[in-house]
């Protein structure tokens, strides 16, 4: 595997596995996430992408294999533990509350306070100012941080969620299908913010089923199929066509293409 | 807005209604209702209902009475016992709701019925009747009366102290909601508790605290009733729980949680108080009261729906 320098990866997965009862959800997954790189996890529905996220973000524990954080074994019992270790997850539903203002969402669960004792209060001025500044730094122009998140477009919301994770010192940023519900233009906007986060030195895990979104921004690709790894590839080792083919199940797709061809006579 | 309209409606037609004395009169039912409505509003913003809140005012009032008169304790001891009991019931409500994930509507309907039965059964067991009386003969009554049931002279009218407590609690609840971390968690838990838990909000603790706050408010109102009336009926508070919810909804709380305000709930209680006394002042039949209340509720719900639409209109 090609890496940056000799330092250990931010996050390394060795032979990770997870069962739900008698169902094997994941087995033998190995991959690495490095600072300033984007690791894409590709797979069709039911490939085990969600299970993998849940292990990385501390919702579930792995049943087999090892998770190495900065080269040392780690295990997260709760989302809070993963967060404290610098692993932030932006969920598909974004973990944002539509009826709440942008700045309230931005600091949700980590509100800055001032004062002490019973007078300890939410530092509102600070929260609004930081929200505006952080969004501007990501190149996101928000008209009014007081507007409810529900009034933002899907792409804008993704961007706010990414800016939030970066602000809170995420070293590893896990993005769960950030482009799946978006149109082409909005998806492009989100991928640009993914690249922004990468350029700020964050190790990004991009989960997607769309190789056309993954290929331009990814540095390495982990392919999943029915809970098993089809291999981890560096960008130099795989072409976009190869990626698309593997992703769709290779031979299966060829057979399908053959089947769908018009009979020539 | 609504409160001003209701005030004008009655004030124009009735001189008694707009006199300082009349105002003090309709502020009184608004105050005890308002204290509860504010707490219930917080709980509703946090995404839950508490149907046991009404009967709990009875439970706490009866506890104060029974501990003071039947066990011969100082009234303050009785009030403290009542507070501990209320907080424990609030905790159990919150704990059951967060542990089981069942709708709080069902859980608190259960505690509501249980408390209703206990109120009657235990009161009969201790006193042999369905009332607890003679609370004013117990040591400590004078000080308790000063705190919970005294009257304050404002602009030539005697205003009950509960009105001042109501204003204080409304201000406190507003501050907590808008200016503290806990307030942010309340909105978030009610808006989407899975999402808020994912970003590290202690949603479970927030919910339990809200149930305990509602129970605490019920204790305050129950104690006020016990000290003010000096005797308590075993069926006190039954049916009030829906009035609290109505006041909170008229004040702009969404039934689905995540939106509302403490001031709104207070105004809802104010509208309730004005209507309740305004209708007899106009010499109308008191039956119209519930019609009027229902109409206000419908209007408020329709207005709330617009809020929600606005916020979700641009989704995706």
């Amino acid at each position: 595997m090609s890496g940056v320098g000799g330092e250990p990866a931010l996050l390394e997965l060795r032979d990770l596995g997870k069962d739900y009862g008698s169902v094997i959800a994941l087995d033998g997954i190995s991959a690495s996430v490095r600072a300033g790189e984007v690791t894409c996890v590709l797979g069709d529905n039911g490939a085990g992408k969600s299970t993998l996220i849940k292990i990385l973000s501390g919702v579930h524990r792995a049943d087999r294999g090892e998770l190495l954080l900065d080269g040392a074994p780690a295990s997260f019992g709760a989302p809070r533990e993963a967060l404290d270790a610098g692993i932030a997850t932006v969920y598909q539903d974004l973990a944002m509350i539509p009826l709440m203002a942008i700045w309230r969402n931005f600091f949700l669960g980590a509100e800055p306070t001032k004062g002490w004792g019973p007078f300890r209060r939410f530092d509102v001025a600070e929260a609004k100012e930081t929200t505006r500044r952080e969004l501007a730094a990501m190149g996101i122009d928000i008209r009014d941080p007081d507007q409810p998140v529900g009034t933002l477009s899907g792409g804008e919301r993704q961007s706010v969620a990414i800016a939030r994770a970066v602000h809170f010192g995420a070293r590893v940023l896990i993005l769960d299908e950030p482009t799946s519900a978006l149109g082409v233009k909005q998806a492009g906007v989100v991928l640009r913010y993914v690249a922004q986060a990468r350029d700020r030195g964050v190790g990004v895990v991009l989960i997607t089923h769309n190789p056309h979104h993954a290929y331009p921004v990814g540095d390495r690709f982990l392919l999943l199929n029915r809970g098993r790894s089809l291999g981890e590839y560096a960008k130099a080792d795989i072409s976009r066509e190869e990626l698309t083919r593997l992703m769709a199940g290779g031979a299966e797709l060829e057979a399908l293409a053959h089947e769908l061809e018009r009979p020539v006579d | 807005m609504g409160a001003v309209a209701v005030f004008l409606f009655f004030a124009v037609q009735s001189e008694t209604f707009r006199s300082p004395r009349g105002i003090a009169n309709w502020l009184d039912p608004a105050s005890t209702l308002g204290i509860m409505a504010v707490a219930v509003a917080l709980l509703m913003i946090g995404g839950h209902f508490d149907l046991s809140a009404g009967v709990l005012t009875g439970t706490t009032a009866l506890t104060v009475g029974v501990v003071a008169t039947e066990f011969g304790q100082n009234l303050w001891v009785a009030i403290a016992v009542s507070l501990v009991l209320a907080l424990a019931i609030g905790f159990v409500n919150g704990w059951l709701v967060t542990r089981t994930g069942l709708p709080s509507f069902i859980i608190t309907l259960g505690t509501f019925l249980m408390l209703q039965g206990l109120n009657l059964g235990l009161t009969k067991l201790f006193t042999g009747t369905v009332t607890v009386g003679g609370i004013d003969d117990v040591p400590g009554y004078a000080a308790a009366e000063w705190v919970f049931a005294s009257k304050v002279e404002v602009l030539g009218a005697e205003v009950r102290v509960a009105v001042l407590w109501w204003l204080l609690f409304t201000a406190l609840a507003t501050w907590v909601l808008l200016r503290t971390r806990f307030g942010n968690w309340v909105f978030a838990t009610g808006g989407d508790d899975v999402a808020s838990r994912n970003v590290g909000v202690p949603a479970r603790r927030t919910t339990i605290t809200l149930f305990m706050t509602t129970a605490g408010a019920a204790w305050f109102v129950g104690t006020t009733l016990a000290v003010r009336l000096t005797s308590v009926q075993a069926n006190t508070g039954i049916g009030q729980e829906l009035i609290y919810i109505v006041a909170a909804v008229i004040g702009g709380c969404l039934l689905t949680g995540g939106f509302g305000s403490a001031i709104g709930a207070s105004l809802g209680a104010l509208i309730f108080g004005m209507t309740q006394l305004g209708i007899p002042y106009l010499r109308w039949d008191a039956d119209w009261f519930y019609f009027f209340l229902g109409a206000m509720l419908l209007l408020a719900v329709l207005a709330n729906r617009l809020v929600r639409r606005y916020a979700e209109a641009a989704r995706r």
Side-chain angles (χ1 to χ4, degrees), chain A residues 80 83 91-92 95 97-100 104 108-111 113 118 120-122 124 150-154 157 164 181, chain B residues 175 177-181 184-185 187-188 191-192 195 198-201 254 257-259 308 310-312 314-316:
Chain A
R80 189 79 249 174
L83 267 174
Y91 289 93
Q92 220 161 354
I97 319 293
L99 284 166
M100 288 173 78
R104 283 188 178 273
L108 189 56
E111 296 85 354
T113 56
R120 212 161 72 101
R121 57 198 183 274
F122 193 171
V124 171
T151 61
L152 298 177
S153 73
R157 284 203 234 175
R164 170 168 77 181
Chain B
W175 182 77
L177 263 183
L178 298 180
R179 287 289 177 270
T180 65
R181 301 189 69 185
N184 216 32
W185 296 345
F187 279 111
D192 185 340
N198 279 340
V199 295
V201 172
L254 283 183
F259 190 86
R308 189 148 185 117
Y310 159 75
E312 295 195 334
R315 226 175 173 177
R316 290 237 159 87

Side-chain angles (χ1 to χ4, degrees), chain B residues 189-293:
Chain B
T189 314
D192 185 340
D193 73 324
V194 177
S196 47
R197 210 167 303 155
N198 279 340
V199 295
V201 172
R204 190 165 283 166
R205 213 171 67 201
T206 305
T207 302
I208 293 179
T209 309
L210 285 173
F211 272 104
M212 290 177 74
T213 306
T214 309
W219 162 79
F220 192 91
V221 170
T223 306
T224 300
L225 292 178
V227 173
R228 188 191 282 177
L229 305 174
T230 71
S231 76
V232 187
Q233 304 281 333
N235 63 356
T236 300
I238 293 169
Q240 290 292 305
E241 60 285 335
L242 291 179
I243 306 287
Y244 306 149
I245 293 173
V246 168
V249 171
I250 288 178
C253 286
L254 283 183
L255 286 163
T256 41
F259 190 86
S261 74
I263 291 181
S266 274
L267 292 177
L270 193 62
I271 288 177
F272 184 93
M274 289 195 291
T275 315
Q276 196 179 28
L277 288 186
I279 283 174
Y281 281 162
L282 294 188
R283 293 176 215 293
W284 289 1
D285 198 320
D287 299 344
W288 288 97
F289 169 62
Y290 279 102
F291 174 81
F292 198 92
L293 196 68

